[in-house]
Amino acid sequence: LTFFPSDSLEFTPVFAGDATYQMLTCRNKSKLPAVFEIMCCDTESSCFRILPRRGLIPAEGFQLFIVQFKAPDIAFLGKEKEAFKLRVNGFDVWGPMLLGAGAVPECELEDIDQDLSVTLPPTSIGLESMRIIGLRNSSRVPCIFHINE
């Protein structure tokens, strides 16, 4: 059997509690059909789920696996990894490493004072004063913000 991707299946970081999906292809180059059963990702604590769990890959055929990564709760954020393992015709076969990470948004205000106050240059009566403040999302997940007037 050969897998694509062959070394690792890496998920982009997702917000804590959210899930993302990817496809994993397994090709049977043999002239015999391959009966398989997934041997990993079946515990309650696993962040990965794989479907189908059992099946038959035809001779010189292929199987598509749907792999889900669900980021753990905020209290347990970090990088997760698990080896893709299946039993094929009674033998254990190792596939690519599954890699995922949970993340939380981290917004940073740029060009502000240390006490988080914003000061504007002095103006005369009737004139306007303006200051541009940058807001940067340093994480890999979307950040939602609201400005109170």
Side-chain angles (χ1 to χ4, degrees), residues 17-142:
D18 286 352
T20 184
Y21 299 85
Q22 287 199 33
M23 298 295 287
L24 177 66
T25 304
C26 179
R27 183 166 299 280
N28 180 7
K29 293 184 174 182
S30 170
K31 302 265 187 214
L32 299 171
V35 177
F36 71 88
E37 179 181 1
I38 302 295
M39 304 302 292
C40 67
C41 311
D42 60 350
T43 64
E44 197 63 35
S45 63
S46 177
C47 294
F48 299 97
R49 300 280 182 263
I50 301 172
L51 291 174
R53 300 289 301 168
R54 295 184 175 103
L56 178 101
I57 306 172
E60 298 180 346
F62 68 93
Q63 174 69 48
L64 294 177
F65 293 100
I66 301 170
V67 184
Q68 176 198 45
F69 170 69
K70 184 174 182 182
D73 293 333
I74 291 175
F76 302 103
L77 283 180
K79 294 188 177 186
E80 301 289 331
K81 68 179 180 177
E82 192 166 341
F84 182 81
K85 180 182 176 185
L86 61 155
R87 183 162 290 143
V88 179
N89 295 339
F91 296 97
D92 289 344
V93 175
W94 294 94
M97 185 65 71
L98 307 175
L99 306 169
V104 292
E106 294 180 21
C107 293
E108 300 171 357
L109 290 171
E110 298 172 342
D111 300 326
I112 62 168
D113 300 329
Q114 288 183 344
D115 63 351
L116 298 178
S117 63
V118 178
T119 55
L120 299 171
T123 61
S124 298
I125 296 174
L127 297 177
E128 292 183 0
S129 182
M130 181 173 68
R131 181 169 175 192
I132 296 175
I133 299 172
L135 178 65
R136 189 171 76 83
N137 182 2
S138 58
S139 66
R140 296 190 58 180
V141 292

